[in-house]
Amino acid sequence: MSAGRICSRVVATAVPTETIRTAARRMAENEVGTLVVVSGDAESRALGVITDRDITIRGVAEGRDLDRTPVSALMSTPVQSVNQATPIEQALARMGTSATRRLVVTGDRDRPIGILSLDDVLELLALEAEAIGRLLGKQKPEITAGLSGWS
């Protein structure tokens, strides 16, 4: 399965010059915890990422003026990204080597089309484990019956 198949397709963005307060409001409006910081030009390539945690830890906790501090001061760079066709296994390896829980998923011309989070991958694994559990549950009576003749 590819990163593009399970990523969240809600990509809320910010530009480097807007304020932290504006970015936080956009997070609230879009019900997301991550904004992809884009160039704002026709290319709209990802320049960085800012999370609700970045705002809390590096903005609020450090006493920054949220109405004057630009997103560029708190955003994380370089952007950790994968193409939408990247297999989940490779995306997980990328998360591990870059020590991040989120990757920007890109499409044509490296434009952001989604966010792949560790939670997305864990949800997929949970669904697959549930399906395996159902299968084993259906086969259990057959397995038990087959073992009764082994006495």
Side-chain angles (χ1 to χ4, degrees):
M1 182 164 303
S2 67
R5 296 233 4 234
I6 68 166
C7 71
S8 168
R9 294 293 179 137
V10 175
V11 182
T13 61
V15 294
T17 55
E18 70 184 274
T19 68
I20 296 302
R21 186 170 313 278
T22 301
R25 284 187 182 129
R26 186 163 308 110
M27 285 179 184
E29 290 167 4
N30 289 284
E31 297 180 358
V32 296
T34 303
L35 296 178
V36 178
V37 183
V38 295
S39 54
D41 57 15
E43 294 298 315
S44 292
R45 291 212 169 120
L47 302 174
V49 172
I50 187 163
T51 67
D52 47 6
R53 189 172 196 280
D54 294 330
I55 292 171
T56 302
I57 304 297
R58 296 192 305 213
V60 176
E62 291 182 4
R64 294 184 186 239
D65 182 344
L66 304 181
D67 292 311
R68 295 185 189 270
T69 303
V71 166
S72 61
L74 302 185
M75 71 182 189
S76 298
T77 59
V79 175
Q80 299 301 320
S81 65
V82 292
N83 183 275
Q84 64 184 337
T86 302
I88 293 300
E89 297 82 4
Q90 286 181 13
L92 276 172
R94 181 70 178 268
M95 285 180 182
T97 58
S98 62
T100 186
R101 296 175 56 95
R102 295 176 189 88
L103 298 172
V104 174
V105 178
T106 59
D108 295 337
R109 295 178 299 233
D110 289 331
R111 290 188 178 163
I113 61 159
I115 301 287
L116 178 67
S117 72
L118 185 57
D119 290 351
D120 296 328
V121 177
L122 291 173
E123 185 177 328
L124 173 66
L125 291 173
L127 290 171
E128 289 179 349
E130 183 181 337
I132 291 168
R134 282 193 309 271
L135 173 63
L136 291 175
K138 288 179 181 180
Q139 291 181 345
K140 188 174 181 180
E142 294 173 20
I143 294 170
T144 305
L147 293 177
S148 64
W150 282 57
S151 315

